[in-house]
Amino acid sequence: MSKLIVLNMKMYMDIDDVKDYISSIEKVPDNVIFCPESIYIPYFLEKYNNIAIQSIYPVDQGAYTGCVSAKQVKKMGVNYTIVGHSECRKYFNVTDKDVNLKIKSALNNNLKVILCIGDSKDEKDRNKTFESLKRQLDIGLEGIKSNDIIVAYEPIYSIGTGVIPIYDEIKDTIEFIKNELKNKDMSLPVIYGGSVNKDNIGSLNKIDNVDGFMIGGASAHIDQVKRIIEVVNK
Ligand code: PGA
């Protein structure tokens, strides 16, 4: 299977950028998943097959101002949702328990999940990386058994910073996550995210147990996206 390329556009683009992006990036291979801001999803749906919403509220419908549900986006043709991105955990206080509810809501509505987990610099320095990731997996995936989940390992200190763990560390951490999943009887793709761009994708792509990449900052730049797709799919 080709490695996954998850393009997390966060809140980087305005409508002019979106129109430019869509007209410049023609057909993409099936391993590419676009995660535009929710207001731009209809534009992306017109052109591409794999679209993720960046976050969902874990209730199908009701009095929840400012929220969007899995049920609503699924009906529009969206097929994935990101859950538990570290920015949502930090700015919107999303907890591991919330992550669990969001995953259940997504799966109940046949939306595939991109589950983000990661360690902080402090946890890494105190040798608590595995403990932290295990907790995020144990609570986040409690009562869940599904193949419709992609796990994204994103060290928090690597997001938007240009700081990437040494490749052996990435490899060991991905292996740890895969073993934890195995203990839960699940075999899921595990991808890496954090400061991935067109210049480092060639070397990151050589880490043999990484099943793909989640790309933030670089995903909003047409030249970066084209090059990353080219390198991963060559
Ligand atoms: P970055 O973000 O590529 O800008 O580091 C990755 C992410 O947050 O998914």
Side-chain angles (χ1 to χ4, degrees), residues 68-219:
V68 180
S69 73
K71 186 175 181 190
Q72 290 169 320
V73 292
K74 177 68 191 183
K75 204 162 177 182
M76 288 178 72
V78 170
N79 41 4
Y80 289 86
T81 180
I82 300 175
V83 173
H85 190 279
S86 69
E87 285 147 17
C88 299
R89 294 178 190 254
K90 179 177 172 188
Y91 299 121
F92 313 128
N93 302 317
V94 170
T95 64
D96 291 321
K97 183 73 196 146
D98 295 328
V99 165
N100 182 258
L101 294 175
K102 285 169 189 265
I103 297 176
K104 285 177 175 158
S105 173
L107 296 175
N108 280 341
N109 286 289
N110 295 318
L111 214 55
K112 293 179 188 160
V113 171
I114 301 157
L115 163 62
C116 299
I117 58 172
D119 51 333
S120 66
K121 176 77 170 63
D122 178 62
E123 285 167 337
K124 176 180 160 65
D125 290 346
R126 289 188 296 117
N127 262 323
K128 300 280 184 199
T129 292
F130 289 176
E131 195 180 303
S132 169
L133 297 177
K134 180 171 168 38
R135 186 202 71 238
Q136 292 170 59
L137 289 170
D138 284 350
I139 304 175
L141 292 174
E142 200 182 328
I144 293 167
K145 195 162 291 174
S146 169
N147 291 324
D148 288 333
I149 303 173
I150 297 162
V151 177
Y153 168 55
E154 300 204 297
I156 297 165
Y157 54 89
S158 293
I159 296 178
T161 60
V163 178
I164 296 184
I166 53 173
Y167 293 175
D168 279 350
E169 273 170 15
I170 296 179
K171 191 174 173 181
D172 289 351
T173 308
I174 300 267
E175 190 180 319
F176 172 80
I177 294 168
K178 288 188 173 178
N179 275 332
E180 285 301 308
L181 293 169
K182 208 165 164 193
N183 293 338
K184 299 180 191 308
D185 266 340
M186 279 193 271
S187 168
L188 303 174
V190 182
I191 65 177
Y192 168 79
S195 294
V196 179
N197 60 38
K198 70 178 171 46
D199 300 319
N200 58 28
I201 187 69
S203 45
L204 283 165
N205 198 35
K206 294 192 179 118
I207 309 176
D208 55 22
N209 62 354
V210 174
D211 299 314
F213 302 93
M214 183 152 181
I215 297 131
S219 75

Side-chain angles (χ1 to χ4, degrees), residues 14-39:
D14 68 17
I15 184 62
D16 296 332
D17 300 326
V18 167
K19 287 183 175 165
D20 193 27
Y21 194 92
I22 288 175
S23 64
S24 306
I25 299 179
E26 279 308 321
K27 269 182 76 69
V28 293
D30 263 355
N31 59 330
V32 179
I33 304 169
F34 292 94
C35 320
E37 267 190 277
S38 57
I39 52 170

